[in-house]
Amino acid sequence: MCRREVADPGPGPVPAGAADDAGRPAPMEFVTEADVVLIGAQCSGALVLARLGLLEGMPACTDMKRRASVEGCGVTVLDAPFHAEGNITTAGGCLASQHLATWVITRILGEDAARAVIDYVAPVGDSQETPERAMRAVHAGVVALR
């Protein structure tokens, strides 16, 4: 069985490498109330969300190293850098962090703010393409609520 309970749930980030191939979560505080908070996972974080049962019926993105483990939890892994449904999102690959950040900023402050932030952190000479690429990935990866 893939689902496991995490002791002492509470708010906090899931650090990189927070789960091993067996899906054993590292000690952490975690929020599991997706209807109340935004929950984002990158790379092995998708395995933690799968273990918590938060990805039931939802495909996810993860890194290639954890793909088989996430699929072993019955979650379809997409060949995409970003996917979001409702208040839950997953991003696959370290460089997909910009898509996760873009989604969070868009949800909280709006698309104009997200474009401004990504433009600010974009590599010099790439301030037009980087925000557009991030917004395209977020728009493509967002699924309407069912």
Side-chain angles (χ1 to χ4, degrees):
M1 186 164 101
C2 192
R3 185 170 177 160
R4 291 187 182 184
E5 297 299 320
V6 175
D8 191 29
V14 177
D20 62 17
D21 284 328
R24 293 181 293 259
M28 69 183 92
E29 295 179 345
F30 201 81
V31 174
T32 58
E33 299 161 349
D35 58 331
V36 178
V37 297
L38 299 178
I39 297 176
Q42 184 175 346
C43 297
S44 61
L47 184 56
V48 174
L49 296 186
R51 286 282 190 178
L52 291 168
L54 293 172
L55 298 179
E56 291 174 8
M58 175 183 166
C61 301
T62 190
D63 61 282
M64 295 309 295
K65 188 172 182 180
R66 300 288 181 239
R67 182 181 187 122
S69 298
V70 174
E71 289 174 334
C73 290
V75 175
T76 300
V77 175
L78 303 173
D79 288 321
F82 177 84
H83 181 76
E85 291 187 28
N87 287 351
I88 299 176
T89 187
T90 56
C94 294
L95 294 178
S97 61
Q98 63 186 307
H99 306 320
L100 184 58
T102 300
W103 177 79
V104 170
I105 297 165
T106 298
R107 291 289 305 267
I108 295 171
L109 300 174
E111 194 169 303
D112 289 341
R115 285 179 189 279
V117 169
I118 299 302
D119 174 67
Y120 180 76
V121 300
V124 172
D126 198 19
S127 65
Q128 217 171 11
E129 186 177 326
T130 299
E132 289 306 315
R133 184 176 43 251
M135 293 307 302
R136 278 193 310 273
V138 168
H139 286 240
V142 172
V143 174
L145 291 174
R146 302 173 207 201

